[in-house]
Amino acid sequence: MVATKLKTRKEQIFEIATQLFKERGFSATSMRDLAKQVGLEPASLYSHFKSKEEILSKICFGIADQFYIAIQPINQKQLPANEKLRQALEAHIDVIINNADAAAVFLHDWKFLNESNLEEFLSLRKNYESIFIELIRQGIKEGIFRDVNEKFLMMNIFSAMNWVYEWYSPAGSMSAEEIANNLTNFILNGIIKL
Amino acid sequence: MVATKLKTRKEQIFEIATQLFKERGFSATSMRDLAKQVGLEPASLYSHFKSKEEILSKICFGIADQFYIAIQPINQKQLPANEKLRQALEAHIDVIINNADAAAVFLHDWKFLNESNLEEFLSLRKNYESIFIELIRQGIKEGIFRDVNEKFLMMNIFSAMNWVYEWYSPAGSMSAEEIANNLTNFILNGIIKL
DNA sequence: CCTACCGATCGGTAGG
DNA sequence: CCTACCGATCGGTAGG
C-alpha cells in the first residue's frame, strides 16, 4: 500500500467532483450536490475553484497530460511498429485504469468545456490520435498490419480501450495488469495480418 | 431513396429530442430547447409526452427492442459459434448505424431513466449480454475462441461496437456495410484462437 | 469558509 | 396548441 497522502481541501473537492461527474454526469451534478458531499456550504467552493467549468477543465486536461507523458518516451524508441503500438496501448490503458473516474469524465463530458478550452482540448486529442495513426501507417507499410483505412483502425482501437473504466474494478477478478495485457492482445490480434 | 414518410408532430418531437439528447446530453437539454427547435411553445410538448423522461424511455426501449428483434432469429439458427457470433455482431452494428443518434442516447443517458424504467432497462441489457456470453462460451468450448474470461471478452466486444455511432457518418468514406464487415473482422480476429 | 442573496432557468400544470 | 404561471433549483457574487 502507498502511504496515505494528506489531502488539501482543494484536492478533496477535486476528487469528489470527479466521482460525482463520473456517476451523474457533469451537467446533472450541481455545485450544491458537490458542496454537500464535501461538507461545505455551496459558496465556499468558490474559494477553491472559480467556476464549475474550471473543475471540469482541470479533470480533462489532467488526463490529457497523463496520456502525453505516458506515450512520449515510447514514441521516441527505435522499435518495430507493432511493438511500439503494443507499448502505447498498454500505457494508454494504464492511465485509464489508474484514473478510472477522471478518464470517464474526460471521455464523456469534454463537450461541456467552454469555448477556448474546448478548442485546445480538441487540438490535443487530434494530436494524440495522430501519433497512433502514424504507428498504424508504419505497421501497414511494414506489412505487419492489415491494410485497412488507418483512421478506421485508430477509431477501433480507441473504442476498444476507452470503455475500460466502465468495467474495471479494483475488486474484480482480473488485475489491472491482466486487463491491460489481455486487452492489448485483443486489439493487436484484431489488426495484425493473419 | 425511400419514399419520404409523413411525420406526425409527435414523431417530429421525438426525432428532434433524440438529436438534441445525443448532441448535448439528456440533462443538459431543456424542454424549452426542444420546443424551440420543434417550433412550439414549451407547454405544448406536454400534449404529446407526459414528461421529459418519457421521451428518454421511449428512445432507450426502442433501441433495446431493435437489438432483440435483430438477434433472435440469428440465435435460433443451427450454426457454429463463430458464425453465429459473426452474424450477431453484424446485426448489432447495423442497429447502431441505422439509429446513430438514438443509439448514442441509449448508451449514455439510460442512467437518467426513472427508478422502475431503470430496473427494467438493466434487466433487458443483462439478458441481451448473456446471449453473447453464451455464444462466447460455446466458442471457447469448441476450441475456436481463445480461452479468456468470457465476461471480459463480452465487454471487449461491446466496447468495440458501441462507439460506432461516434464516427459513422453517412457521408464518410466507408459505407455502413463496409464498417459492419470490417469491425466484425476486427473483433473476431481479436478473440479467435490463432 | 459562512450568511445572505441575485437573476436566470428548470420541469411541469391550470385552464382554455 | 397557447397564455400564464408555479415552486424548485441553478451557477455564482457581495461582503465579511
Side-chain angles (χ1 to χ4, degrees), chain B residues 50-80:
Chain B
K50 72 175 203 295
S51 68
K52 190 183 165 191
E53 197 268 352
E54 193 195 28
I55 305 178
L56 177 65
S57 73
K58 292 241 154 96
I59 295 171
C60 291
F61 289 112
I63 293 294
D65 284 349
Q66 289 202 53
F67 282 142
Y68 271 99
I69 290 170
I71 203 167
Q72 258 157 12
I74 295 167
N75 200 30
Q76 284 160 5
K77 289 182 190 169
Q78 288 288 355
L79 286 171

mmCIF file of all heavy atoms in Angstrom, chain B residues 50-80:
data_model
loop_
_atom_site.group_PDB
_atom_site.id
_atom_site.type_symbol
_atom_site.label_atom_id
_atom_site.label_comp_id
_atom_site.label_asym_id
_atom_site.label_seq_id
_atom_site.Cartn_x
_atom_site.Cartn_y
_atom_site.Cartn_z
ATOM 1 N N LYS B 50 -45.780 12.968 -21.664
ATOM 2 C CA LYS B 50 -46.168 13.430 -20.329
ATOM 3 C C LYS B 50 -44.994 13.956 -19.510
ATOM 4 O O LYS B 50 -45.201 14.633 -18.504
ATOM 5 C CB LYS B 50 -46.946 12.361 -19.574
ATOM 6 C CG LYS B 50 -46.162 11.177 -19.101
ATOM 7 C CD LYS B 50 -47.099 10.259 -18.253
ATOM 8 C CE LYS B 50 -46.297 9.393 -17.295
ATOM 9 N NZ LYS B 50 -45.423 8.425 -17.992
ATOM 10 N N SER B 51 -43.772 13.656 -19.963
ATOM 11 C CA SER B 51 -42.602 14.199 -19.277
ATOM 12 C C SER B 51 -41.368 14.063 -20.161
ATOM 13 O O SER B 51 -41.384 13.346 -21.163
ATOM 14 C CB SER B 51 -42.363 13.454 -17.954
ATOM 15 O OG SER B 51 -41.965 12.127 -18.217
ATOM 16 N N LYS B 52 -40.325 14.739 -19.758
ATOM 17 C CA LYS B 52 -39.051 14.636 -20.462
ATOM 18 C C LYS B 52 -38.532 13.200 -20.361
ATOM 19 O O LYS B 52 -37.995 12.643 -21.328
ATOM 20 C CB LYS B 52 -38.074 15.627 -19.814
ATOM 21 C CG LYS B 52 -36.780 15.847 -20.539
ATOM 22 C CD LYS B 52 -35.887 16.819 -19.719
ATOM 23 C CE LYS B 52 -34.458 16.821 -20.182
ATOM 24 N NZ LYS B 52 -33.562 17.545 -19.252
ATOM 25 N N GLU B 53 -38.719 12.615 -19.220
ATOM 26 C CA GLU B 53 -38.238 11.256 -19.001
ATOM 27 C C GLU B 53 -38.959 10.266 -19.893
ATOM 28 O O GLU B 53 -38.384 9.257 -20.304
ATOM 29 C CB GLU B 53 -38.402 10.881 -17.517
ATOM 30 C CG GLU B 53 -37.589 9.671 -17.076
ATOM 31 C CD GLU B 53 -38.353 8.364 -17.187
ATOM 32 O OE1 GLU B 53 -39.567 8.348 -17.467
ATOM 33 O OE2 GLU B 53 -37.722 7.318 -16.991
ATOM 34 N N GLU B 54 -40.230 10.533 -20.205
ATOM 35 C CA GLU B 54 -40.959 9.611 -21.086
ATOM 36 C C GLU B 54 -40.311 9.564 -22.471
ATOM 37 O O GLU B 54 -40.222 8.495 -23.087
ATOM 38 C CB GLU B 54 -42.432 10.028 -21.213
ATOM 39 C CG GLU B 54 -43.267 8.917 -21.848
ATOM 40 C CD GLU B 54 -44.643 9.393 -22.321
ATOM 41 O OE1 GLU B 54 -44.797 10.586 -22.667
ATOM 42 O OE2 GLU B 54 -45.553 8.574 -22.370
ATOM 43 N N ILE B 55 -39.855 10.701 -22.945
ATOM 44 C CA ILE B 55 -39.180 10.717 -24.253
ATOM 45 C C ILE B 55 -37.917 9.862 -24.178
ATOM 46 O O ILE B 55 -37.660 9.019 -25.037
ATOM 47 C CB ILE B 55 -38.818 12.160 -24.671
ATOM 48 C CG1 ILE B 55 -40.061 13.053 -24.662
ATOM 49 C CG2 ILE B 55 -38.171 12.160 -26.057
ATOM 50 C CD1 ILE B 55 -39.780 14.505 -25.028
ATOM 51 N N LEU B 56 -37.158 10.088 -23.122
ATOM 52 C CA LEU B 56 -35.929 9.296 -22.940
ATOM 53 C C LEU B 56 -36.219 7.802 -22.911
ATOM 54 O O LEU B 56 -35.536 7.011 -23.571
ATOM 55 C CB LEU B 56 -35.239 9.711 -21.642
ATOM 56 C CG LEU B 56 -33.979 8.930 -21.275
ATOM 57 C CD1 LEU B 56 -32.875 9.175 -22.285
ATOM 58 C CD2 LEU B 56 -33.503 9.281 -19.862
ATOM 59 N N SER B 57 -37.241 7.413 -22.175
ATOM 60 C CA SER B 57 -37.507 5.977 -22.037
ATOM 61 C C SER B 57 -37.955 5.383 -23.369
ATOM 62 O O SER B 57 -37.599 4.257 -23.704
ATOM 63 C CB SER B 57 -38.519 5.709 -20.921
ATOM 64 O OG SER B 57 -39.804 6.103 -21.319
ATOM 65 N N LYS B 58 -38.696 6.161 -24.166
ATOM 66 C CA LYS B 58 -39.092 5.661 -25.499
ATOM 67 C C LYS B 58 -37.854 5.447 -26.367
ATOM 68 O O LYS B 58 -37.786 4.497 -27.155
ATOM 69 C CB LYS B 58 -40.061 6.649 -26.162
ATOM 70 C CG LYS B 58 -41.420 6.720 -25.458
ATOM 71 C CD LYS B 58 -42.562 6.313 -26.365
ATOM 72 C CE LYS B 58 -43.744 5.767 -25.572
ATOM 73 N NZ LYS B 58 -44.792 6.783 -25.301
ATOM 74 N N ILE B 59 -36.894 6.342 -26.264
ATOM 75 C CA ILE B 59 -35.661 6.185 -27.046
ATOM 76 C C ILE B 59 -34.922 4.929 -26.598
ATOM 77 O O ILE B 59 -34.555 4.079 -27.412
ATOM 78 C CB ILE B 59 -34.735 7.414 -26.871
ATOM 79 C CG1 ILE B 59 -35.383 8.672 -27.441
ATOM 80 C CG2 ILE B 59 -33.380 7.163 -27.546
ATOM 81 C CD1 ILE B 59 -34.640 9.970 -27.114
ATOM 82 N N CYS B 60 -34.729 4.801 -25.311
ATOM 83 C CA CYS B 60 -33.930 3.680 -24.783
ATOM 84 C C CYS B 60 -34.577 2.330 -25.068
ATOM 85 O O CYS B 60 -33.917 1.402 -25.541
ATOM 86 C CB CYS B 60 -33.708 3.857 -23.277
ATOM 87 S SG CYS B 60 -32.615 5.234 -22.881
ATOM 88 N N PHE B 61 -35.873 2.228 -24.801
ATOM 89 C CA PHE B 61 -36.529 0.932 -25.013
ATOM 90 C C PHE B 61 -36.748 0.647 -26.496
ATOM 91 O O PHE B 61 -36.807 -0.513 -26.902
ATOM 92 C CB PHE B 61 -37.831 0.857 -24.221
ATOM 93 C CG PHE B 61 -37.605 0.755 -22.735
ATOM 94 C CD1 PHE B 61 -37.943 1.794 -21.889
ATOM 95 C CD2 PHE B 61 -37.014 -0.377 -22.193
ATOM 96 C CE1 PHE B 61 -37.708 1.706 -20.517
ATOM 97 C CE2 PHE B 61 -36.775 -0.476 -20.826
ATOM 98 C CZ PHE B 61 -37.125 0.572 -19.988
ATOM 99 N N GLY B 62 -36.844 1.691 -27.290
ATOM 100 C CA GLY B 62 -36.935 1.483 -28.741
ATOM 101 C C GLY B 62 -35.685 0.804 -29.278
ATOM 102 O O GLY B 62 -35.770 -0.127 -30.090
ATOM 103 N N ILE B 63 -34.535 1.264 -28.829
ATOM 104 C CA ILE B 63 -33.281 0.652 -29.273
ATOM 105 C C ILE B 63 -33.136 -0.752 -28.692
ATOM 106 O O ILE B 63 -32.730 -1.684 -29.389
ATOM 107 C CB ILE B 63 -32.082 1.528 -28.847
ATOM 108 C CG1 ILE B 63 -32.101 2.858 -29.602
ATOM 109 C CG2 ILE B 63 -30.767 0.812 -29.113
ATOM 110 C CD1 ILE B 63 -31.867 2.739 -31.096
ATOM 111 N N ALA B 64 -33.499 -0.899 -27.445
ATOM 112 C CA ALA B 64 -33.433 -2.233 -26.825
ATOM 113 C C ALA B 64 -34.263 -3.228 -27.634
ATOM 114 O O ALA B 64 -33.819 -4.341 -27.930
ATOM 115 C CB ALA B 64 -33.916 -2.168 -25.377
ATOM 116 N N ASP B 65 -35.469 -2.816 -28.017
ATOM 117 C CA ASP B 65 -36.325 -3.685 -28.825
ATOM 118 C C ASP B 65 -35.645 -4.079 -30.122
ATOM 119 O O ASP B 65 -35.683 -5.241 -30.533
ATOM 120 C CB ASP B 65 -37.640 -2.964 -29.171
ATOM 121 C CG ASP B 65 -38.590 -2.910 -27.989
ATOM 122 O OD1 ASP B 65 -38.315 -3.600 -26.982
ATOM 123 O OD2 ASP B 65 -39.595 -2.182 -28.068
ATOM 124 N N GLN B 66 -35.034 -3.106 -30.771
ATOM 125 C CA GLN B 66 -34.394 -3.403 -32.054
ATOM 126 C C GLN B 66 -33.254 -4.390 -31.895
ATOM 127 O O GLN B 66 -33.050 -5.254 -32.753
ATOM 128 C CB GLN B 66 -33.874 -2.119 -32.695
ATOM 129 C CG GLN B 66 -34.979 -1.233 -33.201
ATOM 130 C CD GLN B 66 -34.472 -0.281 -34.272
ATOM 131 O OE1 GLN B 66 -33.866 -0.699 -35.258
ATOM 132 N NE2 GLN B 66 -34.695 0.992 -34.065
ATOM 133 N N PHE B 67 -32.496 -4.261 -30.832
ATOM 134 C CA PHE B 67 -31.418 -5.222 -30.604
ATOM 135 C C PHE B 67 -31.993 -6.633 -30.459
ATOM 136 O O PHE B 67 -31.477 -7.593 -31.037
ATOM 137 C CB PHE B 67 -30.619 -4.853 -29.340
ATOM 138 C CG PHE B 67 -29.633 -3.728 -29.539
ATOM 139 C CD1 PHE B 67 -29.425 -2.777 -28.542
ATOM 140 C CD2 PHE B 67 -28.893 -3.621 -30.716
ATOM 141 C CE1 PHE B 67 -28.506 -1.744 -28.721
ATOM 142 C CE2 PHE B 67 -27.980 -2.582 -30.897
ATOM 143 C CZ PHE B 67 -27.789 -1.647 -29.888
ATOM 144 N N TYR B 68 -33.076 -6.742 -29.712
ATOM 145 C CA TYR B 68 -33.683 -8.065 -29.512
ATOM 146 C C TYR B 68 -34.257 -8.638 -30.797
ATOM 147 O O TYR B 68 -34.082 -9.810 -31.108
ATOM 148 C CB TYR B 68 -34.768 -8.000 -28.431
ATOM 149 C CG TYR B 68 -34.225 -8.228 -27.056
ATOM 150 C CD1 TYR B 68 -33.948 -7.170 -26.211
ATOM 151 C CD2 TYR B 68 -33.940 -9.518 -26.618
ATOM 152 C CE1 TYR B 68 -33.421 -7.376 -24.949
ATOM 153 C CE2 TYR B 68 -33.409 -9.732 -25.347
ATOM 154 C CZ TYR B 68 -33.154 -8.661 -24.524
ATOM 155 O OH TYR B 68 -32.617 -8.884 -23.287
ATOM 156 N N ILE B 69 -34.958 -7.791 -31.538
ATOM 157 C CA ILE B 69 -35.555 -8.249 -32.799
ATOM 158 C C ILE B 69 -34.472 -8.729 -33.759
ATOM 159 O O ILE B 69 -34.643 -9.706 -34.484
ATOM 160 C CB ILE B 69 -36.375 -7.104 -33.441
ATOM 161 C CG1 ILE B 69 -37.632 -6.854 -32.607
ATOM 162 C CG2 ILE B 69 -36.730 -7.423 -34.880
ATOM 163 C CD1 ILE B 69 -38.396 -5.595 -32.995
ATOM 164 N N ALA B 70 -33.332 -8.047 -33.746
ATOM 165 C CA ALA B 70 -32.254 -8.392 -34.681
ATOM 166 C C ALA B 70 -31.580 -9.704 -34.299
ATOM 167 O O ALA B 70 -31.175 -10.482 -35.164
ATOM 168 C CB ALA B 70 -31.229 -7.267 -34.739
ATOM 169 N N ILE B 71 -31.459 -9.964 -33.019
ATOM 170 C CA ILE B 71 -30.652 -11.118 -32.624
ATOM 171 C C ILE B 71 -31.449 -12.422 -32.536
ATOM 172 O O ILE B 71 -30.881 -13.501 -32.704
ATOM 173 C CB ILE B 71 -29.914 -10.869 -31.289
ATOM 174 C CG1 ILE B 71 -28.707 -11.812 -31.234
ATOM 175 C CG2 ILE B 71 -30.822 -11.077 -30.082
ATOM 176 C CD1 ILE B 71 -27.722 -11.481 -30.168
ATOM 177 N N GLN B 72 -32.745 -12.321 -32.287
ATOM 178 C CA GLN B 72 -33.486 -13.553 -32.044
ATOM 179 C C GLN B 72 -33.409 -14.583 -33.175
ATOM 180 O O GLN B 72 -33.073 -15.745 -32.916
ATOM 181 C CB GLN B 72 -34.932 -13.254 -31.657
ATOM 182 C CG GLN B 72 -35.122 -13.399 -30.149
ATOM 183 C CD GLN B 72 -36.287 -12.619 -29.613
ATOM 184 O OE1 GLN B 72 -37.111 -12.116 -30.367
ATOM 185 N NE2 GLN B 72 -36.360 -12.502 -28.303
ATOM 186 N N PRO B 73 -33.708 -14.216 -34.421
ATOM 187 C CA PRO B 73 -33.625 -15.228 -35.481
ATOM 188 C C PRO B 73 -32.228 -15.815 -35.626
ATOM 189 O O PRO B 73 -32.085 -17.003 -35.929
ATOM 190 C CB PRO B 73 -34.023 -14.455 -36.741
ATOM 191 C CG PRO B 73 -33.900 -13.011 -36.397
ATOM 192 C CD PRO B 73 -34.150 -12.916 -34.935
ATOM 193 N N ILE B 74 -31.213 -15.000 -35.378
ATOM 194 C CA ILE B 74 -29.833 -15.493 -35.504
ATOM 195 C C ILE B 74 -29.536 -16.509 -34.422
ATOM 196 O O ILE B 74 -28.953 -17.567 -34.673
ATOM 197 C CB ILE B 74 -28.837 -14.315 -35.398
ATOM 198 C CG1 ILE B 74 -29.016 -13.376 -36.585
ATOM 199 C CG2 ILE B 74 -27.403 -14.822 -35.314
ATOM 200 C CD1 ILE B 74 -28.331 -12.037 -36.434
ATOM 201 N N ASN B 75 -29.961 -16.185 -33.233
ATOM 202 C CA ASN B 75 -29.661 -17.050 -32.089
ATOM 203 C C ASN B 75 -30.329 -18.413 -32.206
ATOM 204 O O ASN B 75 -29.875 -19.386 -31.597
ATOM 205 C CB ASN B 75 -30.093 -16.363 -30.793
ATOM 206 C CG ASN B 75 -29.398 -16.937 -29.577
ATOM 207 O OD1 ASN B 75 -28.270 -17.410 -29.682
ATOM 208 N ND2 ASN B 75 -30.068 -16.913 -28.441
ATOM 209 N N GLN B 76 -31.417 -18.482 -32.988
ATOM 210 C CA GLN B 76 -32.128 -19.763 -33.109
ATOM 211 C C GLN B 76 -31.566 -20.673 -34.198
ATOM 212 O O GLN B 76 -31.957 -21.835 -34.313
ATOM 213 C CB GLN B 76 -33.618 -19.498 -33.360
ATOM 214 C CG GLN B 76 -34.362 -19.058 -32.097
ATOM 215 C CD GLN B 76 -35.663 -18.354 -32.396
ATOM 216 O OE1 GLN B 76 -36.080 -18.258 -33.547
ATOM 217 N NE2 GLN B 76 -36.322 -17.846 -31.364
ATOM 218 N N LYS B 77 -30.664 -20.136 -35.002
ATOM 219 C CA LYS B 77 -30.096 -20.965 -36.088
ATOM 220 C C LYS B 77 -29.172 -22.045 -35.564
ATOM 221 O O LYS B 77 -28.644 -21.952 -34.460
ATOM 222 C CB LYS B 77 -29.299 -20.062 -37.046
ATOM 223 C CG LYS B 77 -30.152 -19.138 -37.884
ATOM 224 C CD LYS B 77 -29.260 -18.329 -38.839
ATOM 225 C CE LYS B 77 -30.060 -17.222 -39.526
ATOM 226 N NZ LYS B 77 -29.189 -16.277 -40.244
ATOM 227 N N GLN B 78 -28.991 -23.049 -36.388
ATOM 228 C CA GLN B 78 -28.024 -24.096 -36.067
ATOM 229 C C GLN B 78 -26.725 -23.791 -36.794
ATOM 230 O O GLN B 78 -26.593 -24.073 -37.977
ATOM 231 C CB GLN B 78 -28.565 -25.471 -36.524
ATOM 232 C CG GLN B 78 -29.713 -26.006 -35.681
ATOM 233 C CD GLN B 78 -29.255 -26.466 -34.297
ATOM 234 O OE1 GLN B 78 -28.056 -26.459 -34.005
ATOM 235 N NE2 GLN B 78 -30.198 -26.859 -33.439
ATOM 236 N N LEU B 79 -25.801 -23.200 -36.097
ATOM 237 C CA LEU B 79 -24.548 -22.778 -36.729
ATOM 238 C C LEU B 79 -23.412 -22.909 -35.718
ATOM 239 O O LEU B 79 -23.651 -22.893 -34.510
ATOM 240 C CB LEU B 79 -24.641 -21.307 -37.160
ATOM 241 C CG LEU B 79 -25.484 -20.949 -38.381
ATOM 242 C CD1 LEU B 79 -25.615 -19.440 -38.480
ATOM 243 C CD2 LEU B 79 -24.864 -21.514 -39.657
ATOM 244 N N PRO B 80 -22.172 -23.005 -36.185
ATOM 245 C CA PRO B 80 -21.047 -22.975 -35.250
ATOM 246 C C PRO B 80 -21.006 -21.611 -34.537
ATOM 247 O O PRO B 80 -21.450 -20.602 -35.097
ATOM 248 C CB PRO B 80 -19.804 -23.154 -36.133
ATOM 249 C CG PRO B 80 -20.268 -23.224 -37.533
ATOM 250 C CD PRO B 80 -21.750 -23.192 -37.578
#
